[in-house]
Amino acid sequence: MKVLFIGDIVGRNARNYVQKKIKELKKQLKLDAIIINVENAAGGFGVTPAICDDFFHAGADVLTTGNHVWDKREIISYISKNDRLLRPLNMIKGTPGLGVIILEVDAGKIGVANIMTNLFMPPTDPVFETIPEILNSLKLKVNVDFSIVDVHGEASSEKMALGVALDGYVSAVVGTHTHVPTADHQILENGTAFITDVGMSGDYNSIIGMNKKDALNRFKFPDNKKSRLEVSSGEPTLCGVIIESDTNGLSKSINPLRLGGKLEQTLLH
Ligand SMILES: [Fe+2]
Ligand SMILES: [Fe+2]
């Protein structure tokens, strides 16, 4: 199967750009499924029901999130009814929504899990304890043809360790949250595609998608809690990876996709 995973959508311009692009890419690249992390899609903080619906209408199959999932309160009732929007699996018991889903697409069954790491992140249950649940829920070539885990977290070492722990059991492990793409995309030893961070889809003429002046002031004057972060409104870059799996469900290739804005310009120079 051929699957596109797109990293954290930051704000309106990125939303509009990615929704337009995935309609074209689905046909052009003959994609079997599209998965998008939308935790910053609504003004940089959270996601709304209307935004989720727009992404589904544009062709997204599953949406993932992270620490910002509850920033817009209206998402709570939506996520309880719509299991194609995931929140991290290791949020405490009783949290609304699901952290794993199996979805039937034309080419077969895809399993998606969303987990959140522990280092430098808001408290959740220990992330490594999610592994048995993922392996029980998503069994390659038994109940899914393709499986992918969105590992949402800050520390690259912890994300790589999760990749290693899941190597050979899932088709792909992809990192999100830092908003900075890494260049370590690879097929791990036992056949799992991996990248430490896919990068955000947003304006890279910014500080991780937010207005440069506000974000800089936060670091220069950490006691000034008043400076509100606004989404940087320049031209967005879509950042994602395209993963192709083999007949055994493990991966043949993982390739980064960077379209539009600052990063595409840099690539073309
Ligand atoms: Fe994010
Ligand atoms: Fe995050």
Side-chain angles (χ1 to χ4, degrees):
M1 290 174 79
K2 196 173 184 185
V3 174
L4 170 63
F5 182 97
I6 297 176
D8 310 32
I9 306 289
V10 184
R12 181 194 305 263
N13 288 355
R15 258 168 24 222
N16 292 341
Y17 183 65
V18 169
Q19 285 166 12
K20 187 179 90 177
K21 273 286 159 192
I22 58 175
K23 285 181 192 159
E24 302 166 15
L25 291 170
K26 194 158 193 165
K27 283 189 206 134
Q28 257 174 31
L29 301 174
K30 298 190 171 61
L31 299 169
D32 295 307
I34 298 172
I35 301 149
I36 307 177
N37 186 305
V38 293
E39 73 150 7
N40 311 103
F45 299 93
V47 64
T48 64
I51 291 174
C52 292
D53 287 341
D54 287 346
F55 275 107
F56 289 131
H57 289 145
D61 295 288
V62 177
L63 302 175
T64 59
T65 57
N67 52 304
H68 286 290
V69 59
W70 310 123
D71 288 359
K72 298 283 182 282
R73 308 299 291 175
E74 60 266 39
I75 208 63
I76 295 173
S77 58
Y78 183 88
I79 206 170
S80 307
K81 284 175 268 173
N82 195 324
D83 54 13
R84 288 201 291 151
L85 172 67
L86 299 181
R87 47 80 174 164
L89 181 64
N90 51 324
M91 286 183 158
I92 56 162
K93 284 214 177 347
T95 302
L98 299 174
V100 60
I101 186 190
I102 296 176
L103 187 75
E104 184 119 37
V105 295
D106 290 345
K109 283 187 176 170
I110 58 161
V112 184
N114 191 187
I115 57 179
M116 189 153 85
T117 59
N118 301 121
L119 292 174
F120 319 119
M121 296 295 287
T124 48
D125 289 342
V127 67
F128 283 84
E129 290 179 12
T130 61
I131 292 172
E133 193 175 341
I134 292 171
L135 302 189
N136 268 328
S137 310
L138 310 177
K139 292 192 167 85
L140 272 185
K141 291 289 138 191
V142 177
N143 64 349
V144 288
D145 299 292
F146 180 94
S147 58
I148 184 165
V149 182
D150 174 349
V151 175
H152 195 78
E154 187 73 27
S156 46
S157 54
E158 196 180 14
K159 290 196 271 187
M160 287 185 96
L162 284 157
V164 168
L166 290 162
D167 182 21
Y169 299 104
V170 296
S171 313
V173 174
V174 293
T176 57
H177 174 75
T178 70
H179 292 200
V180 178
T182 58
D184 62 333
H185 49 284
Q186 60 182 302
I187 306 297
L188 300 176
E189 207 173 354
N190 298 310
T192 295
F194 177 79
I195 185 167
T196 299
D197 208 296
V198 171
M200 68 167 173
S201 295
D203 178 9
Y204 278 80
N205 182 13
S206 71
I207 297 176
I208 64 165
M210 307 314 259
N211 178 290
K212 287 191 283 193
K213 189 164 162 272
D214 302 340
L216 186 59
N217 280 337
R218 281 257 179 130
F219 287 101
K220 284 167 81 175
F221 312 109
D223 294 333
N224 181 5
K225 301 262 191 291
K226 279 188 203 151
S227 64
R228 237 186 81 81
L229 289 176
E230 300 281 348
V231 170
S232 188
S233 58
E235 200 191 330
T237 302
L238 177 160
C239 275
V241 284
I242 298 163
I243 300 144
E244 263 193 281
S245 66
D246 219 332
T247 45
N248 63 3
L250 293 165
S251 289
K252 288 194 286 196
S253 66
I254 174 169
N255 287 297
L257 180 72
R258 285 173 202 158
L259 296 174
K262 191 94 182 153
L263 293 196
E264 182 170 325
Q265 289 161 23
T266 311
L267 288 173
L268 296 173
H269 271 162

